């Protein structure tokens, strides 16, 4: 009897696992007109390059359907697939139907549920490889009207939410891989960032840095009440919430009642991560104290605020700030998570926004956080500007959120992926 030497046997297993679990990778761009993000992939037969608005918290992917795809099939009402949809799917005109939503305008409509082919390029972490196809990707068809307010040139919406029908969930289910994806949003409208699906890493940047090694983790928490336009009794939110317990500026706590950061029984409060807001939005009472402490702490940097420009609450003259490799030198903002020593540090590059003050020809740096008003459902919505050039990971198998802080600290950016 022939026995394989044990080390060789293990080696073969390792190779097999690597070939069946590639990272799938999609380019992500920033749209200059909305400051929101798009993701690119291939859809239909023959495969067409397609640009969709990227939305982290949405549940259902939808797109403008045309009759050009030979693989597009509406899902029949009486199919077992239709009955697995939330509420059992809705039967309309003999076709299984769903409610595609626009997270910006909060419009929705009843539209058909379809299946078609989706394809994404693979990567071994550093070099782009072949396309992987998912032949029965579930989405909904929509009309051009529902695109209003989304990133320009998007022909639909890619939903990355926390449910079984989202784009990352369908990819992971279809390939039987780990339910984990990561985003690296570009700060520039000129170069792409990336989304990585079906893998916990490595994520190789600048040919050598594996950003999965820099991740700090905090639990993902569930908001028990969905905030979609169409929702069902007892349905939890598909958005990504984290347990921010305090906010520090230059090491000092913003003086707030901690209950505002907790998620209440009705789903209000808490902190979520969102790609629907270009800047982090805070509930009014929190925002006022946040700005006040930032202004106080900026005195230590010899900074005196100038007249603020909407929608921002505090701005400084560009010439008053010195720049560092992580952006303008201002007090750091820390989002402190479940424990005092777990915090997401935000440096000037992610806290400040550079704008030209109209008519004066003067550059300003404004604190890139905005006042969401007194009756915000969610107390803190961490928005795009604060996420850019940070790698963030959503690991649903381990139920945790990973973040790197500014990649500028490691002399890289979200656009320095080796892949084209
Ligand atoms: C949108 O499409 C038009 C025409 O193809 C192109 O000129 C423009 O650059 C695109 N805009 C963005 C933001 O990609
Ligand atoms: C369908 O395909 C044809 C040829 O490839 C193209 O000219 C046309 O614009 C497509 N229609 C739509 C609605 O995408
Ligand atoms: C599909 O589109 C072509 C032109 O693009 C049109 O002539 C044809 O009627 C359409 N078919 C259906 C079933 O809508
Ligand atoms: C669903 O309905 C179609 C047409 O009415 C029928 O041909 C098909 O057999 C039905 N399928 C199931 C699973 O009942
Ligand atoms: C219902 O289906 C018919 C035939 O496929 C189509 O002509 C009609 O536009 C559909 N109605 C709606 C509301 O989708
Ligand atoms: C990825 O594949 C390329 C080309 O096959 C190879 O040169 C590179 O070393 C691989 N990288 C890793 C991390 O496996
Ligand atoms: C999620 O979907 C997959 C198939 O796409 C199915 O096998 C699995 O049971 C579903 N899980 C849940 C929790 O609905
Ligand atoms: C914090 O807010 C909660 C709910 O609004 C209130 O019941 C509590 O008394 C507040 N605590 C303090 C210390 O102000
Ligand atoms: C800011 O400084 C002023 C004056 O020293 C102080 O009264 C106020 O409480 C400080 N605000 C915060 C939020 O620390
Ligand atoms: C602020 O200004 C004072 C007096 O001009 C100077 O001594 C100090 O070094 C400055 N601090 C910083 C952080 O620039
Ligand atoms: C958030 O963290 C605090 C402090 O560790 C803890 O008391 C609280 O239960 C956590 N909340 C959730 C929803 O996990």
């Amino acid at each position: 009897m022939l026995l394989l030497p044990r080390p060789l046997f293990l080696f073969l297993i390792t190779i097999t696992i690597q070939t069946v679990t590639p990272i799938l990778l999609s380019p992500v761009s920033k749209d200059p007109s909305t400051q929101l993000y798009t993701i690119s992939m291939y859809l239909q037969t023959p495969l067409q390059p397609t640009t969709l608005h990227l939305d982290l918290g949405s549940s259902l992917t939808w797109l403008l359907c045309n009759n050009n795809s030979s693989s597009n099939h509406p899902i029949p009402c009486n199919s077992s697939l239709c009955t697995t949809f939330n509420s059992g799917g809705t039967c309309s005109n003999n076709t299984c139907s769903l409610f595609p939503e626009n997270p910006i305008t909060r419009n929705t409509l009843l539209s058909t549920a379809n299946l078609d082919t989706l394809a994404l390029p693979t990567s071994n972490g550093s070099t782009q490889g072949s396309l992987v196809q998912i032949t029965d990707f579930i989405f909904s068809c929509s009309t051009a009207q529902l695109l209003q307010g989304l990133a320009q040139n998007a022909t639909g919406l890619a939903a990355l939410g926390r449910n079984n029908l989202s784009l990352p969930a369908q990819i992971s289910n279809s390939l039987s891989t780990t339910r984990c994806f990561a985003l690296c949003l570009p700060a520039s409208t000129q170069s792409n960032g990336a989304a990585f699906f079906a893998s916990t890493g490595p994520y190789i940047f600048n040919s050598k840095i594996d950003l999965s090694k820099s991740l700090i983790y905090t639990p993902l928490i569930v908001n028990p009440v969905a905030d979609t336009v169409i929702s069902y009794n007892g349905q939890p939110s598909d958005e990504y919430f984290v347990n921010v317990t305090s906010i520090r500026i230059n090491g000092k706590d913003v003086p707030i009642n901690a209950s505002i950061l907790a998620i209440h029984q009705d789903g209000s409060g808490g902190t979520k991560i969102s790609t629907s807001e270009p800047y982090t939005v805070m509930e009014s009472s929190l925002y006022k104290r946040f700005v006040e402490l930032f202004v106080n702490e900026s005195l230590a940097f010899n900074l005196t605020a100038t007249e603020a420009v909407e929608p921002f609450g505090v701005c400084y003259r560009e010439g008053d700030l010195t720049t560092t490799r992580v952006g303008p030198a201002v007090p750091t903002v820390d989002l402190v998570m479940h424990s005092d020593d777990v915090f997401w540090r935000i440096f000037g590059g992610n806290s400040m926004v550079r704008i030209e003050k109209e008519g004066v020809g003067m550059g300003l740096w404004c604190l890139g956080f905005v006042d969401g008003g007194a009756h915000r459902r969610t107390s803190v919505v961490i928005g795009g500007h604060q996420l850019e050039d940070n790698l963030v990971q959503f690991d649903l198998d381990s139920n945790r959120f990973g973040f790197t802080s500014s990649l500028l600290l490691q002399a890289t950016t979200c656009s320095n992926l080796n892949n084209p």
Side-chain angles (χ1 to χ4, degrees), residues 219 221-222 243-245 262-263 337-340:
I221 59 179
V222 174
N243 193 5
V244 171
T245 50
I263 298 175
M337 305 290 180
H338 62 280
S339 154
D340 261 6

Side-chain angles (χ1 to χ4, degrees), residues 131-145:
L131 290 178
V132 161
Q133 292 199 15
I134 291 163
T135 51
D136 49 3
F137 180 68
I138 303 162
F139 60 96
S140 178
C141 287
S142 179
T143 61
Q145 224 180 347

Side-chain angles (χ1 to χ4, degrees), residues 26-85:
S26 293
V28 172
S29 337
K30 183 172 178 178
D31 166 37
S33 66
T34 56
Q35 307 288 303
L36 300 175
Y37 309 90
T38 59
I39 182 168
S40 300
M41 62 194 74
Y42 297 90
L43 284 165
Q44 307 185 334
T45 304
L47 289 172
Q48 299 293 323
T50 306
T51 299
L52 302 178
H53 176 96
L54 183 156
D55 192 67
L56 194 52
S58 284
S59 312
L60 174 67
T61 297
W62 53 266
L63 38 123
L64 297 183
C65 291
N66 56 41
N67 71 1
N68 271 358
S69 179
S70 61
S71 51
N72 186 332
H73 298 291
I75 298 172
C77 278
N78 61 356
S79 62
S80 58
L81 183 55
C82 189
T83 60
T84 64
F85 295 152

